[in-house]
PDB file of all heavy atoms in Angstrom:
ATOM      1  N   ASN A1423       3.285  12.685 -24.484  1.00 87.00           N
ATOM      2  CA  ASN A1423       4.061  13.901 -24.688  1.00 87.00           C
ATOM      3  C   ASN A1423       3.708  14.901 -23.580  1.00 87.00           C
ATOM      4  O   ASN A1423       4.552  15.649 -23.219  1.00 87.00           O
ATOM      5  CB  ASN A1423       3.781  14.486 -26.042  1.00 87.00           C
ATOM      6  CG  ASN A1423       4.417  13.701 -27.156  1.00 87.00           C
ATOM      7  OD1 ASN A1423       5.481  12.965 -26.946  1.00 87.00           O
ATOM      8  ND2 ASN A1423       3.811  13.674 -28.330  1.00 87.00           N
ATOM      9  N   LEU A1424       2.401  14.890 -23.151  1.00 85.00           N
ATOM     10  CA  LEU A1424       1.964  15.868 -22.172  1.00 85.00           C
ATOM     11  C   LEU A1424       2.674  15.549 -20.795  1.00 85.00           C
ATOM     12  O   LEU A1424       3.179  16.538 -20.092  1.00 85.00           O
ATOM     13  CB  LEU A1424       0.490  15.659 -21.862  1.00 85.00           C
ATOM     14  CG  LEU A1424      -0.180  16.598 -20.886  1.00 85.00           C
ATOM     15  CD1 LEU A1424      -0.030  18.081 -21.342  1.00 85.00           C
ATOM     16  CD2 LEU A1424      -1.689  16.243 -20.719  1.00 85.00           C
ATOM     17  N   ILE A1425       2.935  14.351 -20.487  1.00 79.00           N
ATOM     18  CA  ILE A1425       3.615  14.020 -19.230  1.00 79.00           C
ATOM     19  C   ILE A1425       5.004  14.528 -19.195  1.00 79.00           C
ATOM     20  O   ILE A1425       5.510  14.963 -18.147  1.00 79.00           O
ATOM     21  CB  ILE A1425       3.671  12.443 -19.040  1.00 79.00           C
ATOM     22  CG1 ILE A1425       2.324  11.905 -18.852  1.00 79.00           C
ATOM     23  CG2 ILE A1425       4.651  12.034 -17.937  1.00 79.00           C
ATOM     24  CD1 ILE A1425       2.195  10.325 -18.809  1.00 79.00           C
ATOM     25  N   LYS A1426       5.697  14.637 -20.343  1.00 75.00           N
ATOM     26  CA  LYS A1426       7.066  15.114 -20.518  1.00 75.00           C
ATOM     27  C   LYS A1426       7.117  16.610 -20.507  1.00 75.00           C
ATOM     28  O   LYS A1426       8.229  17.200 -20.468  1.00 75.00           O
ATOM     29  CB  LYS A1426       7.721  14.419 -21.701  1.00 75.00           C
ATOM     30  CG  LYS A1426       7.833  12.994 -21.608  1.00 75.00           C
ATOM     31  CD  LYS A1426       8.286  12.340 -22.951  1.00 75.00           C
ATOM     32  CE  LYS A1426       8.259  10.863 -22.950  1.00 75.00           C
ATOM     33  NZ  LYS A1426       8.762  10.263 -24.203  1.00 75.00           N
ATOM     34  N   SER A1427       6.024  17.306 -20.668  1.00 75.00           N
ATOM     35  CA  SER A1427       6.041  18.721 -20.924  1.00 75.00           C
ATOM     36  C   SER A1427       6.096  19.416 -19.545  1.00 75.00           C
ATOM     37  O   SER A1427       5.600  18.994 -18.505  1.00 75.00           O
ATOM     38  CB  SER A1427       4.816  19.215 -21.697  1.00 75.00           C
ATOM     39  OG  SER A1427       3.702  19.071 -20.921  1.00 75.00           O
ATOM     40  N   ASP A1428       6.605  20.717 -19.583  1.00 67.00           N
ATOM     41  CA  ASP A1428       6.660  21.554 -18.363  1.00 67.00           C
ATOM     42  C   ASP A1428       5.296  22.073 -17.984  1.00 67.00           C
ATOM     43  O   ASP A1428       5.111  22.592 -16.908  1.00 67.00           O
ATOM     44  CB  ASP A1428       7.586  22.777 -18.571  1.00 67.00           C
ATOM     45  CG  ASP A1428       9.012  22.258 -18.781  1.00 67.00           C
ATOM     46  OD1 ASP A1428       9.394  21.197 -18.250  1.00 67.00           O
ATOM     47  OD2 ASP A1428       9.786  23.017 -19.387  1.00 67.00           O
ATOM     48  N   LYS A1429       4.427  21.955 -18.878  1.00 69.00           N
ATOM     49  CA  LYS A1429       2.916  22.428 -18.679  1.00 69.00           C
ATOM     50  C   LYS A1429       2.306  21.507 -17.639  1.00 69.00           C
ATOM     51  O   LYS A1429       1.170  21.864 -17.100  1.00 69.00           O
ATOM     52  CB  LYS A1429       2.160  22.513 -19.933  1.00 69.00           C
ATOM     53  CG  LYS A1429       2.719  23.554 -20.947  1.00 69.00           C
ATOM     54  CD  LYS A1429       1.939  23.531 -22.197  1.00 69.00           C
ATOM     55  CE  LYS A1429       2.549  24.481 -23.217  1.00 69.00           C
ATOM     56  NZ  LYS A1429       1.707  24.441 -24.471  1.00 69.00           N
ATOM     57  N   ALA A1430       2.771  20.269 -17.390  1.00 78.00           N
ATOM     58  CA  ALA A1430       2.061  19.381 -16.506  1.00 78.00           C
ATOM     59  C   ALA A1430       3.043  18.874 -15.419  1.00 78.00           C
ATOM     60  O   ALA A1430       3.357  17.706 -15.236  1.00 78.00           O
ATOM     61  CB  ALA A1430       1.599  18.163 -17.395  1.00 78.00           C
ATOM     62  N   GLN A1431       3.530  19.856 -14.606  1.00 78.00           N
ATOM     63  CA  GLN A1431       4.452  19.537 -13.616  1.00 78.00           C
ATOM     64  C   GLN A1431       3.995  18.499 -12.619  1.00 78.00           C
ATOM     65  O   GLN A1431       4.636  17.557 -12.246  1.00 78.00           O
ATOM     66  CB  GLN A1431       4.950  20.812 -12.854  1.00 78.00           C
ATOM     67  CG  GLN A1431       6.092  20.635 -11.934  1.00 78.00           C
ATOM     68  CD  GLN A1431       6.554  21.878 -11.349  1.00 78.00           C
ATOM     69  OE1 GLN A1431       5.789  22.679 -10.754  1.00 78.00           O
ATOM     70  NE2 GLN A1431       7.839  22.193 -11.471  1.00 78.00           N
ATOM     71  N   ALA A1432       2.768  18.688 -12.140  1.00 79.00           N
ATOM     72  CA  ALA A1432       2.204  17.657 -11.182  1.00 79.00           C
ATOM     73  C   ALA A1432       2.139  16.288 -11.767  1.00 79.00           C
ATOM     74  O   ALA A1432       2.356  15.278 -11.045  1.00 79.00           O
ATOM     75  CB  ALA A1432       0.824  18.174 -10.728  1.00 79.00           C
ATOM     76  N   LEU A1433       1.846  16.216 -13.019  1.00 83.00           N
ATOM     77  CA  LEU A1433       1.796  14.951 -13.735  1.00 83.00           C
ATOM     78  C   LEU A1433       3.077  14.332 -13.788  1.00 83.00           C
ATOM     79  O   LEU A1433       3.402  13.152 -13.639  1.00 83.00           O
ATOM     80  CB  LEU A1433       1.125  15.154 -15.125  1.00 83.00           C
ATOM     81  CG  LEU A1433       0.592  13.851 -15.848  1.00 83.00           C
ATOM     82  CD1 LEU A1433      -0.527  13.180 -14.991  1.00 83.00           C
ATOM     83  CD2 LEU A1433       0.136  14.214 -17.226  1.00 83.00           C
ATOM     84  N   GLN A1434       4.123  15.253 -14.083  1.00 80.00           N
ATOM     85  CA  GLN A1434       5.574  14.688 -14.093  1.00 80.00           C
ATOM     86  C   GLN A1434       5.947  14.206 -12.734  1.00 80.00           C
ATOM     87  O   GLN A1434       6.614  13.138 -12.634  1.00 80.00           O
ATOM     88  CB  GLN A1434       6.535  15.890 -14.526  1.00 80.00           C
ATOM     89  CG  GLN A1434       6.589  16.284 -15.960  1.00 80.00           C
ATOM     90  CD  GLN A1434       7.651  17.208 -16.240  1.00 80.00           C
ATOM     91  OE1 GLN A1434       8.068  18.027 -15.399  1.00 80.00           O
ATOM     92  NE2 GLN A1434       8.278  17.096 -17.361  1.00 80.00           N
ATOM     93  N   HIS A1435       5.570  14.822 -11.672  1.00 81.00           N
ATOM     94  CA  HIS A1435       5.934  14.510 -10.372  1.00 81.00           C
ATOM     95  C   HIS A1435       5.370  13.027 -10.044  1.00 81.00           C
ATOM     96  O   HIS A1435       6.067  12.242  -9.541  1.00 81.00           O
ATOM     97  CB  HIS A1435       5.398  15.441  -9.321  1.00 81.00           C
ATOM     98  CG  HIS A1435       6.193  16.718  -9.307  1.00 81.00           C
ATOM     99  ND1 HIS A1435       5.767  17.806  -8.524  1.00 81.00           N
ATOM    100  CD2 HIS A1435       7.258  17.202  -9.953  1.00 81.00           C
ATOM    101  CE1 HIS A1435       6.666  18.809  -8.731  1.00 81.00           C
ATOM    102  NE2 HIS A1435       7.564  18.438  -9.571  1.00 81.00           N
ATOM    103  N   ARG A1436       4.153  12.835 -10.503  1.00 82.00           N
ATOM    104  CA  ARG A1436       3.531  11.586 -10.254  1.00 82.00           C
ATOM    105  C   ARG A1436       4.170  10.511 -11.053  1.00 82.00           C
ATOM    106  O   ARG A1436       4.414   9.374 -10.540  1.00 82.00           O
ATOM    107  CB  ARG A1436       2.039  11.691 -10.637  1.00 82.00           C
ATOM    108  CG  ARG A1436       1.158  10.524 -10.293  1.00 82.00           C
ATOM    109  CD  ARG A1436       0.873  10.482  -8.824  1.00 82.00           C
ATOM    110  NE  ARG A1436      -0.175   9.381  -8.555  1.00 82.00           N
ATOM    111  CZ  ARG A1436      -0.862   9.371  -7.451  1.00 82.00           C
ATOM    112  NH1 ARG A1436      -0.654  10.174  -6.463  1.00 82.00           N
ATOM    113  NH2 ARG A1436      -1.679   8.352  -7.294  1.00 82.00           N
TER     114      ARG A1436
END
Side-chain angles (χ1 to χ4, degrees):
N1423 289 328
L1424 181 64
I1425 291 172
K1426 300 172 185 177
S1427 72
D1428 293 335
K1429 297 177 182 178
Q1431 190 175 50
L1433 198 59
Q1434 278 189 334
H1435 290 175
R1436 189 76 171 194

